[in-house]
Amino acid sequence: MGVRIGRKCTFEGFICIKRTPFGSISIGNGCRFLSRETSNNMGLNHRCMLSVSPAYKGETAMLVIGNDCGFSGVSIWCFKNILIGNNVRVGANTIIMDGDAHFDDSRTAPPASIIIEDGVFIGANCIVKKGVTIGANSVIGMNSVVTKSIPSNSIAIGNPCKVIRQINI
């Protein structure tokens, strides 16, 4: 358990990292985090925030970020497992959460892992919800809410996010 940051990562502005016991964060090599309001031409609502806190006592939670990824003012809140592949780009002010945060409320379901595969591009102001897999090389359009898995090599947009076409790579 703990926090591991790979080689040649860059941080523009301050990043907020929160981890409770039994939570771990692993950031690959060459990742870039933009956290100043003016780090991105769109403007950032807040600094990058990475938080790992197991949902239930006695469990573990793990956030793993691959190599050469880029983030602008992103909020990632992990209660179980969030796995982000290599060469992933996440646009300004995006939220990625694998749980609902209020586990003592009977109306919420337990957390479910999120997998974002290699080469994914997530546009600004998106929300990625629990239990979702975004397939390799997919593009998620701005302001989308990803509630269901998206296959590889897709362009998907909307609320809820839906595939509008396949990409030939």
Side-chain angles (χ1 to χ4, degrees), residues 84-146:
I84 299 174
N86 299 316
N87 302 303
V88 171
R89 302 290 180 262
V90 181
N93 310 314
T94 289
I95 299 170
I96 301 170
M97 287 179 65
D98 67 354
D100 298 320
H102 297 282
F103 302 109
D104 58 342
D105 188 327
S106 62
R107 296 171 291 179
T108 64
S113 297
I114 292 173
I115 300 170
I116 300 172
E117 296 180 353
D118 294 348
V120 168
F121 183 95
I122 299 173
N125 301 311
C126 289
I127 299 173
V128 179
K129 299 285 287 169
K130 65 184 174 185
V132 164
T133 295
I134 301 176
N137 305 311
S138 289
V139 176
I140 307 298
M142 288 178 70
N143 298 311
S144 294
V145 179
V146 186

Side-chain angles (χ1 to χ4, degrees), residues 138-141 150 153-157 162-167:
S138 289
V139 176
I140 307 298
I150 303 296
N153 304 311
S154 297
I155 296 177
I157 60 171
K162 294 180 183 169
V163 174
I164 59 167
R165 73 175 187 206
Q166 292 299 119
I167 304 170

